[in-house]
């Protein structure tokens, strides 16, 4: 009896014929059994955990009945006991924290009882009064004269006329450069097609505060209305081509 098995090869119609479990015909080209789905499933599992952690630690701890300390930390044991995290283990949490390319989370032992706790480094919509942030001053050796806020071209008319809003978050997120810059860990989504450059020195001189998060994101609460007005824009740049703009280009600030 013949059993036909399909395997992954570098040519069209990759079929191998097996007779009595013995390969009798196969191309000499490089072939390998189909597989890899386990890796994709594992990757999607980590993505699901990362998103769940982001929601719980940035926005939803109180709604979920989790106790968040004033520094933003939640005990891992309590987190994993919640129904949303029942399918995950401590090893899963440790792996996601260690491999997260944007270093969104901090996992460490509580200084008093030694229990593991975890927090988001930035991105909160809830007030975290004791989040470890480093204030930026004009005489700091590493202060960025210019920082970048990533957004989307569909929002450009509103941003150009009104400024950048912190929206429902406690702070506006900025990066010290564009994605791909060695200095940039987080602070801008890869999908952004608009970069708005901020004159940090001018904003600080006018009393607007800036802070560094632990994962290198530049944060600001903006002015009293939670905005960075257009007067602090130094330039704006389209990052991705479109049918009308085939190359990156700088935009009119309309000042």
């Amino acid at each position: 009896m013949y059993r036909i098995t399909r395997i992954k090869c570098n040519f069209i119609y990759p079929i191998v014929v097996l007779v009595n479990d013995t390969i009798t015909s196969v191309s000499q080209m490089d072939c390998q059994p189909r597989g890899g789905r386990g890796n994709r499933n594992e990757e999607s599992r980590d993505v699901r955990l990362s998103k769940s952690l982001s929601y719980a630690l940035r926005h939803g701890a109180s709604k979920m009945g989790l106790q968040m300390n004033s520094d933003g930390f939640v005990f891992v044991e309590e987190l994993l006991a919640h129904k949303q995290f029942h399918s995950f283990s401590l090893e899963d949490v440790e792996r996601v924290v260690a491999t997260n390319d944007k270093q969104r989370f901090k996992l460490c032992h509580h200084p008093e009882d030694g229990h593991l706790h975890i927090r988001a480094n930035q991105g909160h919509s809830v007030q975290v009064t004791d989040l470890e942030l480093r204030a930026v001053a004009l005489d700091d050796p590493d202060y960025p004269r210019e920082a970048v806020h990533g957004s989307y071209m569909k929002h450009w008319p509103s941003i150009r006329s009104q400024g950048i809003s912190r929206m429902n978050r406690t702070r506006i997120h900025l990066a010290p450069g564009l994605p791909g810059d060695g200095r940039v860990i987080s602070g801008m989504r890869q999908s952004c097609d608009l970069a708005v450059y901020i004159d940090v020195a001018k904003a600080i001189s006018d009393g607007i505060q800036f802070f560094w998060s632990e994962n290198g994101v530049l944060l600001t609460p903006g002015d009293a209305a939670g905005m960075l007005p257009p007067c602090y824009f130094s330039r704006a740049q389209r990052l991705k081509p479109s049918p009308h703009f085939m190359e990156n280009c700088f935009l009119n600030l309309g000042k």
Side-chain angles (χ1 to χ4, degrees):
M1 180 178 293
Y2 293 88
R3 184 171 74 250
I4 298 177
T5 302
R6 187 178 295 273
I7 65 174
K8 183 179 179 181
C9 300
N10 295 328
F11 55 92
I12 300 175
Y13 305 121
I15 297 177
V16 175
V17 178
L18 300 165
V19 180
N20 295 328
D21 293 327
T22 301
I23 296 178
T24 60
S25 175
V26 64
S27 167
Q28 295 300 310
M29 298 184 71
D30 181 35
C31 300
Q32 59 183 357
R34 279 190 171 184
R37 290 189 177 183
N39 291 336
R40 288 198 296 272
N41 288 339
E42 189 64 28
E43 180 181 7
S44 64
R45 174 182 170 84
D46 284 358
V47 169
R48 291 198 306 272
L49 176 55
S50 180
K51 289 182 177 179
S52 294
L53 287 172
S54 291
Y55 173 75
L57 300 174
R58 289 174 167 178
H59 316 293
S62 178
K63 295 178 182 178
M64 297 169 65
L66 298 172
Q67 180 65 44
M68 177 180 284
N69 294 328
S70 62
D71 54 8
F73 278 106
V74 172
F75 284 110
V76 175
E77 184 178 5
E78 181 183 354
L79 191 74
L80 292 176
H82 192 277
K83 61 182 180 180
Q84 187 168 335
F85 295 93
H86 273 178
S87 63
F88 300 107
S89 66
L90 173 59
E91 289 73 20
D92 293 328
V93 173
E94 290 175 331
R95 182 180 63 254
V96 165
V97 172
T99 60
N100 187 268
D101 59 346
K102 293 183 179 293
Q103 299 178 19
R104 290 187 176 97
F105 312 109
K106 181 175 182 178
L107 179 68
C108 59
H109 293 277
H110 191 280
E112 295 179 4
D113 58 26
H115 291 170
L116 274 176
H117 57 177
I118 185 172
R119 76 169 175 207
N121 283 321
Q122 33 74 216
H124 301 85
S125 61
V126 297
Q127 289 292 338
V128 181
T129 56
D130 296 325
L131 190 64
E132 294 177 41
L133 300 175
R134 180 166 61 89
V136 177
L138 292 178
D139 57 356
D140 288 346
D142 63 344
Y143 105 89
R145 296 181 180 276
E146 195 175 56
V148 189
H149 177 75
S151 188
Y152 300 91
M153 284 301 303
K154 63 182 180 181
H155 301 311
W156 174 235
S158 173
I159 290 174
R160 181 172 59 182
S161 62
Q162 300 176 33
I164 299 168
S165 171
R166 68 186 181 207
M167 306 295 286
N168 64 335
R169 298 196 181 190
T170 57
R171 297 174 180 88
I172 296 166
H173 290 199
L174 304 163
L178 294 176
D181 186 322
R183 301 170 298 167
V184 178
I185 298 173
S186 186
M188 182 187 301
R189 293 177 178 173
Q190 292 285 344
S191 60
C192 289
D193 60 2
L194 170 66
V196 182
Y197 293 78
I198 306 300
D199 186 336
V200 176
K202 181 179 180 181
I204 291 178
S205 297
D206 287 349
I208 293 180
Q209 295 178 307
F210 289 82
F211 304 89
W212 287 113
S213 71
E214 285 201 42
N215 59 333
V217 178
L218 191 63
L219 305 170
T220 176
D223 61 14
M227 302 288 294
L228 270 179
C231 63
Y232 300 119
F233 298 174
S234 57
R235 54 195 171 117
Q237 182 181 6
R238 178 190 290 271
L239 296 178
K240 297 182 180 180
S242 73
H244 303 291
F245 297 90
M246 298 310 296
E247 297 180 354
N248 295 356
C249 65
F250 288 97
L251 304 169
N252 182 5
L253 294 179
K255 294 183 178 180

